[in-house]
Amino acid sequence: RVASAELAHVSTSVHSTIGLDFVGPSGSLGAHALGGRGSSVGELDAATTAIALAAAEEEARGRRPPQKCSLPTTLRFLQAMAKVQAGPYTALRSLMSRVLEQLQELRPHQCFFLLQAMSRLRIKHQKSQFLLQRMSLAWRTLPHKKLIKAANAVAKLDLGSHLWAKPLKLALVRTLPQLSGKHFANVKAITVMELLDDAESITAYLVRAEELKAYVAYSRHLRMVELHTHLVHPELWASLDERIRLFLEQVRTAAEQSSAGEALAEQHRRGRRRRSPSSSRRREAGVAEEGEGVGESDGDGGSGDESDSDDDVSDDELSTPAFDRSRFTSALHEDISRILGGPDLGVEHSNKLAAGPLTVDMCHVPTMTVVEAAPAWQFYVRSPVVTALARRRQELLRAMGFKIVRVPYHRWEALGSDEAKAEFLRGKLPKELLPSMALR
């Protein structure tokens, strides 16, 4: 159930088409498409406010709309909100809690859609594992496309280590040799690291990747799996067939050459913008140039068509202040870098430094110290727990020999002044950096 007053609040975050019916004794009060990707937020607000006022009028006349919503309708609403990754998250968590109270009534396909919604909204619930239990006998009956989507969702929700994830792991391993190139390309790196976590399963994945190499258009997930295998499973890496290792080397080389070409193209574009007075004025006004700041994220990027995509682009990212995307990954990263290199600390560092398929936020190369900004999208909603993606990223960076200094967004935002922020960083940075700071 969504109260009409809260619906107006929801509307400010929604950037896609949502249709809602308020039905009372007199019939339907409205079944409207509340805007679309081409509609403005103002139009969306006006439409939802009109519906809310109509519902209020009916209630004033003694015609109260029904206060209950069916389980399928609730799931459809959650799926719609998850598709655009919109809040308010407290209300959505409450809705999911109510749905999970009806766990015994959920059918397998409804559990699938609920897992999808929880993954996209980054909502991790203490009863999530019971969805795996309900699905334990149904994994092998899912079409390949839905099985991959479910596996991606379970991995992102950090449920891969749970006992009830074992049937999903077995179904995924058995399905790997049968996957088409399109469906195989949608298997995320986090899914391999969380669910295909033994030597036999990783080998099966890499063998299938080599067989379907013509479909590897977006290689970042495969490169992440290669890095994971090399660092976490060195014995497996040493035992891999030479043909597989040669294939992975070719993928890595092609990706590095592509990245170098993109970097040169970006430098050329920035040089042209610097020579253009109008571009300079636009940048000073905080207006992004066309194509500016578009780069590979260390989040969960994806391949495949739009209908198959279940990537995470949260409304937290959409609402962050403007920042230079060619140098920083977030506004939080930009602010931390400013303090780190400022007069109080004076630590020389590189921003957005490539480390294999990963890109670290800030790095002091002489001491191999990485300072990582941890924005809101690296945490589950309303939780201090980092997502499975963020956790695996930290593990890989540590395995590469980096010292990690994490700066969570909520801790940073609580610091009022630049002096307090500098003192906070001074207390977290390793001792190797203290002599260079003492010279300042």
Side-chain angles (χ1 to χ4, degrees):
R1 170 177 171 265
V2 179
S4 58
E6 189 167 65
L7 179 60
H9 174 64
V10 172
S11 69
T12 60
S13 301
V14 177
H15 301 282
S16 185
T17 302
I18 298 177
L20 295 176
D21 292 334
F22 289 88
V23 182
S26 61
S28 176
L29 297 178
H32 305 285
L34 306 181
R37 293 195 180 274
S39 302
S40 68
V41 175
E43 292 170 343
L44 192 60
D45 284 339
T48 49
T49 302
I51 294 176
L53 289 174
E57 280 183 23
E58 287 292 306
E59 187 170 348
R61 294 173 186 168
R63 302 172 180 174
R64 283 183 63 86
Q67 298 299 301
K68 292 185 178 180
C69 181
S70 68
L71 185 59
T73 301
T74 304
L75 289 172
R76 283 196 292 270
F77 173 74
L78 288 173
Q79 190 72 1
M81 300 299 284
K83 190 69 176 177
V84 295
Q85 298 181 352
Y89 291 108
T90 300
L92 291 176
R93 280 184 62 88
S94 177
L95 271 179
M96 285 187 176
S97 296
R98 292 295 301 275
V99 170
L100 289 170
E101 289 175 6
Q102 313 293 325
L103 192 62
Q104 298 306 316
E105 299 179 24
L106 289 175
R107 298 177 181 179
H109 73 279
Q110 293 174 326
C111 293
F112 164 79
F113 287 119
L114 188 56
L115 282 171
Q116 285 281 289
M118 296 174 76
S119 169
R120 287 172 175 167
L121 291 168
R122 300 192 331 274
I123 293 179
K124 187 174 181 180
H125 198 278
Q126 60 267 28
K127 291 187 178 180
S128 302
Q129 64 268 23
F130 295 115
L131 292 172
L132 300 182
Q133 184 179 358
R134 292 286 293 171
M135 291 287 293
S136 58
L137 299 178
W139 295 121
R140 295 182 184 179
T141 67
L142 291 178
H144 290 173
K145 177 179 177 179
K146 285 191 173 182
L147 179 64
I148 298 305
K149 280 178 169 284
N152 290 340
V154 169
K156 291 176 187 177
L157 288 171
D158 209 0
L159 297 173
S161 60
H162 198 275
L163 177 65
W164 284 108
K166 188 67 174 177
L168 174 58
K169 294 180 181 181
L170 295 174
L172 189 59
V173 171
R174 290 189 59 176
T175 307
L176 275 177
Q178 307 164 21
L179 289 177
S180 67
K182 177 182 177 181
H183 294 146
F184 182 85
N186 286 325
V187 179
K188 310 297 184 187
I190 187 64
T191 304
V192 179
M193 291 186 279
E194 291 292 312
L195 297 177
L196 305 178
D197 54 351
D198 59 273
E200 184 178 352
S201 300
I202 294 176
T203 302
Y205 171 84
L206 293 175
V207 168
R208 190 58 177 162
E210 196 276 335
E211 293 172 349
L212 298 173
K213 56 187 175 184
Y215 295 89
V216 183
Y218 180 78
S219 63
R220 185 172 182 277
H221 293 294
L222 187 56
R223 294 172 64 209
M224 290 288 290
V225 173
E226 179 196 9
L227 181 65
H228 171 75
T229 306
H230 188 75
L231 296 176
V232 181
H233 300 278
E235 301 85 0
L236 170 60
W237 176 260
S239 66
L240 281 177
D241 187 90
E242 188 63 30
R243 174 175 53 90
I244 303 298
R245 288 204 277 184
L246 179 60
F247 161 66
L248 294 174
E249 181 182 350
Q250 292 171 344
V251 170
R252 183 172 64 252
T253 302
E256 291 171 351
Q257 291 173 348
S258 176
S259 298
E262 290 174 1
L264 288 174
E266 176 62 23
Q267 288 179 3
H268 180 64
R269 285 195 297 269
R270 293 179 67 184
R272 287 192 303 173
R273 286 196 294 267
R274 278 196 297 268
R275 290 191 296 270
S276 170
S278 61
S279 295
S280 299
R281 287 194 296 269
R282 285 170 59 84
R283 284 199 304 276
E284 289 170 3
V287 180
E289 299 286 338
E290 182 180 359
E292 183 176 3
V294 179
E296 189 176 63
S297 167
D298 283 337
D300 193 26
S303 60
D305 56 32
E306 290 182 2
S307 62
D308 287 344
S309 175
D310 55 353
D311 298 339
D312 293 335
V313 182
S314 70
D315 63 333
D316 296 324
E317 294 176 74
L318 297 175
S319 62
T320 51
F323 58 93
D324 185 354
R325 294 179 182 272
S326 65
R327 298 180 56 207
F328 307 105
T329 59
S330 64
L332 175 64
H333 174 191
E334 185 176 42
D335 195 38
I336 296 171
S337 177
R338 177 180 65 84
I339 299 298
L340 188 63
D344 289 331
L345 296 178
V347 176
E348 294 183 0
H349 61 280
S350 302
N351 286 301
K352 290 188 71 171
L353 185 68
L358 297 172
T359 301
V360 299
D361 289 343
M362 293 152 277
C363 183
H364 183 256
V365 177
T367 61
M368 291 285 284
T369 300
V370 167
V371 180
E372 285 279 280
W377 61 82
Q378 290 193 13
F379 296 84
Y380 293 109
V381 169
R382 304 291 185 266
S383 170
V385 180
V386 297
T387 63
L389 285 164
R391 175 176 57 80
R392 284 292 185 178
R393 171 188 168 86
Q394 295 169 36
E395 291 174 359
L396 290 175
L397 288 175
R398 287 194 179 95
M400 294 169 74
F402 290 107
K403 306 177 189 71
I404 308 297
V405 176
R406 290 185 66 255
V407 183
Y409 75 99
H410 49 82
R411 186 71 181 89
W412 188 257
E413 290 173 358
L415 301 170
S417 63
D418 287 357
E419 291 76 13
K421 292 176 179 179
E423 191 60 33
F424 172 78
L425 288 177
R426 187 179 285 108
K428 293 182 73 73
L429 292 171
K431 295 180 179 179
E432 295 87 334
L433 277 174
L434 294 180
S436 63
M437 287 189 290
L439 295 175
R440 294 280 167 175

